[in-house]
Amino acid sequence: MSSVANDLSRDPMPDPAEDNAFFPSPYSLSQYTSPKTDFDGVQHKGAYTGGRWKVLMIAAAERYLLTENGKMFSTGNHPVEMLLPLHHLMEAGFDIDVATVGGYPAKLELWAMPAEDKAVHAAYEAIKPKLKQPRNLADVVADGLGPDSDYLGVFIPGGHGAVVGLPSSDAVSASLDWALSHDRFVITLCHGPAALLAASRGKDESPFKGYSVCVFPDSLDEGPNLEIGYLPGRLP
């Protein structure tokens, strides 16, 4: 670890747009972000060219996550955990529809955007109009998720924003029910699997019972991420 990184502040940085809200500390960003990802390119041989199948991305539209001490974490969708998967999906030939709960613009943790990564930025520019004006997920459920739907799967990106609103959303629940009952893909990573909690709404047990998932443990957000100032407080 460089001495320069060690000299950086571990205090979360105030977000001037909201009272008692914070971005990650300079030190934590030095550990968790970089100008480029380790993505070195991939060729999707036999990419889909049929023009029908597409993927529904359910993005977080919430910016602030209230922590136990009353401070708010300025969060959203993690750009790498959204845009690199989208890069692969689009390069494989699939169009992307973006939806949020309520139809509000998707929020990104732009402090984690790798400034020098061409693949990530290309995906961002391609999807940006849909991030700004996404569909209302309730409308998608009502008119786009039938047995003959053109959606091949549902993608829920990472970022702490996924834990705000998505786990308690009836529209997310209905989207997951549709995917499972019609043998479509469910793709998610990092904190995105928090949204899978919605699948148990109104049921005696989750339809994901018996599945296994690999995610960050609670201990990371309750220990190291507090110690280095990535989070301003314990998650609820």
Side-chain angles (χ1 to χ4, degrees), residues 11-17 21-26 28-29 63-64 72-75 111 229-232:
D11 294 329
M13 297 183 294
D15 175 356
F22 297 86
F23 298 114
S25 71
S28 68
L29 292 182
R63 169 69 68 198
Y64 296 107
M72 289 194 287
F73 179 40
S74 186
T75 180
W111 40 260
Y230 184 75
L231 295 173

Side-chain angles (χ1 to χ4, degrees), residues 87-108:
H87 171 82
H88 283 280
L89 291 169
M90 291 187 290
E91 286 295 308
F94 302 108
D95 194 12
I96 309 296
D97 278 356
V98 180
T100 64
V101 175
Y104 300 107
K107 306 301 189 296
L108 265 69

